[in-house]
Amino acid sequence: MRTSRIAALAGLAGIAASATLSFTALGMGTAANAAEGNGRPASYLLEGDPSAQGGSKFEGIGVDQESGRFYVSEVTGGEIQRGSADRAQAEEWLAGDGTDGRYTARGITVDDEGRVYIAGGPNGTGNDRPDLWVYSPEGELLAALRVPDNNAFLNDVAIGPDGTAYFTNSNDPTIIRVAEGANGWQATEWADGSSLITTVEGFNLGGIVLSQDRSAFVVAQGTTGQLWRFSIATGEVSEIDTDGADLRNADGLIAQGRDLAVVRNFDKQLVHLELNPSATSAELVSSRATDSDRVFTTGKLLDGRLLLVDSHFDEQTAQGPYEIVTTRMPR
């Protein structure tokens, strides 16, 4: 069993707000924390899958700002849960365990039409299963696609300025573009950064967000602790100067204006960088410890709050409660 959440909160109570990006304690909800959420839950419960070998473990989260809904992926089985900003309990939205060929799921995002894009991680590696899926807001399968790379590990996904989805590949330094065209949905290789990016053993390209001026994607390479800039216009890659920040095990990225939060999963750190508008360089603002009892993978902004996924990746057999926890965002 995990150590007391009360003790964890007490230990994190000293985490203070920085000048431009502030975080509250990343643990179970308190009355004060709930008040900051204007009556919304300070944490959200996910349904565990009692049949999942090793328990339920989670990774990705996508949000629909229009509806106030969020979607969470389960690594162990590929189920997708859906919650609402004003309800403490999320529920299974899409079944896993082979539904639509999905046995695992990783990054998720939602476009302006409410369509949900899901990265499959290693789901399609060494077999003929899909690498990714697209669903309507009602849960109708729109596409289940393979990508050109037969050894892809699709990790995370973001919506580009053109309204289409871009997936990172943890096995090769490539980005896959997914769009609906005249001949239906297609997945194509959009950018190849192998001229500059060296892949090493482990998870390479992961988190992905747009720069403030929407001229580039910012992509994390967790194995090396680097951030990479992919030009929207050309797909050209360049390294982002991160002011000496330690970004090893960088997983999820969350951007708001020029502020970038980097989730360092197993290092249990949340790093705050300030990017210049075109994301060619960044200034280190702070690096703060997260809850020592949790391994956060990624997060998304919803209604002014940062929702973080408690993965349970540090447990051989995951045990509940399974949660999304919230923290205060910039004012």
Side-chain angles (χ1 to χ4, degrees), residues 31-112:
N33 208 6
E36 289 175 352
N38 297 318
R40 294 166 298 184
S43 63
Y44 298 93
L45 288 173
L46 304 172
E47 292 183 353
D49 181 0
S51 66
Q53 185 175 1
S56 293
K57 299 183 180 181
F58 300 90
E59 184 163 356
I61 183 168
V63 301
D64 185 342
Q65 301 290 349
E66 183 70 22
S67 68
R69 292 172 175 165
F70 61 87
Y71 300 83
V72 182
S73 62
E74 187 169 343
V75 172
T76 48
E79 294 83 2
I80 305 298
Q81 299 196 29
R82 185 172 71 180
S84 177
D86 58 359
R87 296 183 63 238
Q89 179 69 58
E91 299 175 346
E92 184 178 286
W93 182 60
L94 298 176
D97 300 322
T99 301
D100 299 328
R102 190 178 58 259
Y103 290 86
T104 186
R106 309 294 166 131
I108 306 181
T109 201
V110 182
D111 68 13
D112 288 343

Side-chain angles (χ1 to χ4, degrees), residues 4-221:
S4 169
R5 296 292 191 219
I6 297 175
L9 279 173
L12 286 172
I15 295 179
S18 70
T20 54
L21 183 59
S22 57
F23 305 99
T24 59
L26 304 181
M28 288 288 285
T30 65
N33 208 6
E36 289 175 352
N38 297 318
R40 294 166 298 184
S43 63
Y44 298 93
L45 288 173
L46 304 172
E47 292 183 353
D49 181 0
S51 66
Q53 185 175 1
S56 293
K57 299 183 180 181
F58 300 90
E59 184 163 356
I61 183 168
V63 301
D64 185 342
Q65 301 290 349
E66 183 70 22
S67 68
R69 292 172 175 165
F70 61 87
Y71 300 83
V72 182
S73 62
E74 187 169 343
V75 172
T76 48
E79 294 83 2
I80 305 298
Q81 299 196 29
R82 185 172 71 180
S84 177
D86 58 359
R87 296 183 63 238
Q89 179 69 58
E91 299 175 346
E92 184 178 286
W93 182 60
L94 298 176
D97 300 322
T99 301
D100 299 328
R102 190 178 58 259
Y103 290 86
T104 186
R106 309 294 166 131
I108 306 181
T109 201
V110 182
D111 68 13
D112 288 343
E113 297 183 25
R115 295 178 295 198
V116 180
Y117 298 78
I118 304 169
N123 193 79
T125 301
N127 55 61
D128 59 357
R129 298 171 187 163
D131 294 301
L132 65 96
W133 303 263
V134 186
Y135 288 90
S136 74
E138 295 74 34
E140 176 190 358
L141 178 66
L142 302 177
L145 302 175
R146 299 275 299 174
V147 301
D149 186 347
N150 290 324
N151 186 40
F153 186 113
L154 297 191
N155 188 313
D156 204 359
V157 53
I159 303 301
D162 60 354
T164 64
Y166 294 78
F167 290 75
T168 57
N169 184 355
S170 287
N171 284 351
D172 289 315
T174 56
I175 294 180
I176 304 298
R177 179 178 182 267
V178 173
E180 183 180 21
N183 298 318
W185 288 89
Q186 292 185 326
T188 57
E189 184 179 289
W190 172 73
D192 182 350
S194 59
S195 62
L196 191 60
I197 301 173
T198 301
T199 57
V200 297
E201 184 177 357
F203 298 102
N204 288 273
L205 299 190
I208 178 172
V209 292
L210 271 174
S211 63
Q212 183 187 30
D213 67 0
R214 301 171 67 83
S215 68
F217 286 114
V218 177
V219 179
Q221 185 177 6

